[in-house]
Amino acid sequence: MIVRIYPSEISGTIKAPQSKSLAIRLIFLSLFTRIHLHNLVLSEDVIDAINSVRALGVEVKNNSEFIPPEKLEIKKKFIKLKGSGTTLRMLIPIVAAIGGEVTIDAEESLRRRPLKRIVEALSNYGISFSSSSLPLTISGKLSSYNIKISGDESSQYISGLIYALHILNGGSIEILPPISSKSYILLTVDLFNRFGSNVKFYGNKIHINPNNLVEFQGEVAGDYGLASFYALSALVSGGRTTIVNLWEPKEYFGDHNIVKIFREMGATSEYSDGKWYVEAKDKYSPIKVNIDDAPDLAMTIAGLAAIAEGTSEITGIERLRIKESDRIESIRKVLGLYSVGSEVKSNSILIFGINKRMLSSPVTDCLNDHRVAMMSSALALVNGGVITSAECVSKSNPNYWQDLLSLNAKISIE
Ligand SMILES: O=C(O)C1=C[C@@H](OP(=O)(O)O)[C@@H](O)[C@H](O)C1
Ligand SMILES: C=C(OP(=O)(O)O)C(=O)O
């Protein structure tokens, strides 16, 4: 798919894209309780999660009702995923807790992503792995309820271990610091507690004392990270938008902090009562921000930094190299295509903002990374641009291009 973008000003109200992080977590909760998701958006990552729970015996009706099995067991010996890191990295400890043998594989971009820390951790507790990246076969059954794991690679393992220890009726996790992407661990802890469990996260320890989980019926809440590209589009294009269906920002640093970050950069950016309102200004200030707790924000922040008056610095970026693409390189590449300079230091990237009139109108390939297409499409609203392989947005938000159209972006889709 090729999307051509013409100079346009974003305006209007839009519903925030459903959070795939929440959707995947809710789908995995159907290992324990009935989950009925209304109007579930079938992004590729969500489909990966659905296929995973099916392989573990969950009954799935109309891709919306998820009914737990009488007894959790591995029903399929081979699980093929597409590209969801969250699904894969949560599935591995879950499979280890159920016990048995399963082979997992996925498409190329997920095959390239590391699994080192979970392989290393679970190998200490009775689990064998045929390899430390996909495709791999896992066999055995988790032999301890107190798990130690390094927190420096991905939080997704720790979210998965919280599920695993619910399967085993309780236990603890010790995270060897640093604790990366902490906001996503908090999301998992919060969700289990809201469903009636008892999960405590103090310092670097998580204690799990499971209770029966309540059932759920409803729609998956909106996602700040995915919504942030609509906000970015409004800010770079001189427009405004209201994004609805978002939850009250939490006190910890997470994707919701983008509301504040855009405000600190000089935009009008306010949250009130489920709605996030942004309005463009003539000038934006550069920012210095550490994104390690919420790494998916890097590309959105880089997008506004591209037209800020001065040099921005995004720190805590090391792990961006192990996302769908090497996102340090991808950010540099997209910025370069629009004639914006950048420099990578050991754990940070400097972005030298330019006057937006000077942005080029390039062709960007999505590099197999949905967020590359989203970042580039926002910048293209200024002087135009083309995105190739534009269907890559379906990993997280298949409605992305239609949503931009409904926000008055002038785009053609071929
Ligand atoms: O748990 C989650 O839903 C996610 C955790 C983060 O990954 P890491 O913990 O690997 O940084 C984030 O980048 C990803 O998009 C979603
Ligand atoms: C990194 C991402 O997702 P995942 O790790 O789940 O593939 C993302 O959506 O940017």
Side-chain angles (χ1 to χ4, degrees):
M1 179 196 285
I2 295 177
V3 173
R4 290 178 202 282
I5 301 167
Y6 304 94
S8 23
E9 190 180 301
I10 292 297
S11 62
T13 297
I14 192 91
K15 197 167 162 189
Q18 287 179 7
S19 163
K20 70 177 171 78
S21 289
L22 268 175
I24 293 168
R25 283 167 173 73
L26 287 164
I27 291 166
F28 274 121
L29 277 183
S30 70
L31 297 173
F32 310 106
T33 185
R34 285 175 87 102
I35 303 287
H36 188 172
L37 300 177
H38 299 165
N39 310 315
L40 179 62
V41 173
L42 294 174
S43 64
E44 289 169 6
D45 285 10
V46 163
I47 293 172
D48 275 350
I50 295 176
N51 288 335
S52 299
V53 294
R54 246 199 204 111
L56 304 177
V58 170
E59 188 189 347
V60 182
K61 288 191 188 161
N62 303 320
N63 284 330
S64 75
E65 276 181 77
F66 301 86
I67 301 153
E70 292 283 306
K71 179 174 178 285
L72 284 176
E73 59 190 334
I74 293 165
K75 296 272 189 207
K76 278 197 199 157
K77 294 282 175 205
F78 178 67
I79 303 177
K80 177 84 199 267
L81 304 176
K82 236 171 134 60
S84 172
T86 308
T87 302
L88 170 65
R89 294 198 179 118
M90 287 173 59
L91 181 61
I92 292 172
I94 289 172
V95 162
I98 295 173
E101 184 174 303
V102 66
T103 300
I104 308 176
D105 198 4
E107 292 189 350
E108 197 46 40
S109 103
L110 195 48
R111 279 183 166 193
R112 280 199 304 267
R113 296 175 67 185
L115 296 171
K116 185 168 146 227
R117 292 309 195 191
I118 193 71
V119 168
E120 183 183 275
L122 297 186
S123 298
N124 291 327
Y125 307 109
I127 304 295
S128 309
F129 292 89
S130 63
S131 154
S132 56
S133 60
L134 294 185
L136 59 71
T137 301
I138 314 171
S139 47
K141 180 159 166 60
L142 210 51
S143 62
S144 171
Y145 299 175
N146 301 302
I147 312 288
K148 273 192 193 172
I149 182 165
S150 296
D152 61 352
E153 195 169 79
S154 171
S155 69
Q156 294 165 345
Y157 308 134
I158 293 145
S159 289
L161 282 168
I162 296 174
Y163 282 75
L165 290 174
H166 276 82
I167 294 170
L168 297 177
N169 278 320
S172 68
I173 305 164
E174 182 178 337
I175 309 168
L176 307 173
I179 307 177
S180 309
S181 286
K182 193 173 174 191
S183 64
Y184 287 98
I185 303 176
L186 290 165
L187 181 69
T188 311
V189 170
D190 263 14
L191 192 70
F192 269 100
N193 287 334
R194 269 202 281 139
F195 271 70
S197 189
N198 180 359
V199 182
K200 298 219 158 48
F201 184 9
Y202 296 123
N204 65 333
K205 295 231 175 65
I206 301 177
H207 295 279
I208 294 137
N209 291 301
N211 291 322
N212 284 340
L213 302 184
V214 296
E215 297 184 359
F216 178 81
Q217 258 213 64
E219 197 167 323
V220 175
D223 187 88
Y224 277 96
L226 294 172
S228 72
F229 291 102
Y230 303 155
L232 174 68
S233 298
L235 296 182
V236 299
S237 71
R240 66 202 57 75
T241 183
T242 302
I243 306 168
V244 302
N245 206 28
L246 287 165
W247 34 269
E248 181 92 31
K250 309 270 182 193
E251 70 290 354
Y252 55 80
F253 190 98
D255 284 352
H256 48 271
N257 277 73
I258 192 65
V259 176
K260 231 168 147 182
I261 290 169
F262 278 167
R263 190 161 62 237
E264 280 166 23
M265 294 181 80
T268 299
S269 175
E270 304 292 343
Y271 171 88
S272 159
D273 200 20
K275 301 187 182 96
W276 177 19
Y277 177 70
V278 294
E279 187 174 332
K281 289 281 168 61
D282 292 339
K283 291 178 184 170
Y284 298 108
S285 318
I287 189 140
K288 180 166 180 177
V289 60
N290 184 313
I291 49 90
D292 187 55
D293 280 346
D296 296 352
L297 291 184
M299 294 202 134
T300 324
I301 298 169
L304 198 58
I307 58 162
E309 280 193 334
T311 303
S312 295
E313 184 172 14
I314 306 178
T315 60
I317 60 167
E318 240 163 25
R319 290 178 317 108
L320 295 182
R321 293 213 188 273
I322 56 167
K323 300 293 179 187
E324 286 85 327
S325 65
D326 172 342
R327 285 194 179 148
I328 300 181
E329 279 316 305
S330 298
I331 288 174
R332 274 178 62 77
K333 198 162 184 179
V334 174
L335 291 173
L337 285 169
Y338 285 88
S339 309
V340 178
S342 61
E343 189 182 319
V344 176
K345 300 223 184 148
S346 65
N347 193 14
S348 75
I349 181 165
L350 300 177
I351 297 171
F352 310 112
I354 62 172
N355 185 308
K356 73 178 193 179
R357 285 196 304 271
M358 310 302 287
L359 291 176
S360 318
S361 49
V363 176
T364 311
D365 181 75
C366 110
L367 305 172
N368 234 327
D369 189 338
H370 50 143
R371 293 186 206 266
V372 166
M374 295 174 191
M375 172 186 171
S376 180
S377 67
L379 292 171
L381 291 165
V382 181
N383 293 319
V386 176
I387 315 290
T388 59
S389 310
E391 66 281 358
C392 69
V393 295
S394 299
K395 180 174 191 286
S396 57
N397 181 7
N399 301 327
Y400 184 71
W401 302 116
Q402 288 306 322
D403 279 358
L404 274 195
L405 272 173
S406 76
L407 286 171
N408 289 318
K410 295 187 186 110
I411 62 180
S412 70
I413 301 172
E414 292 160 24

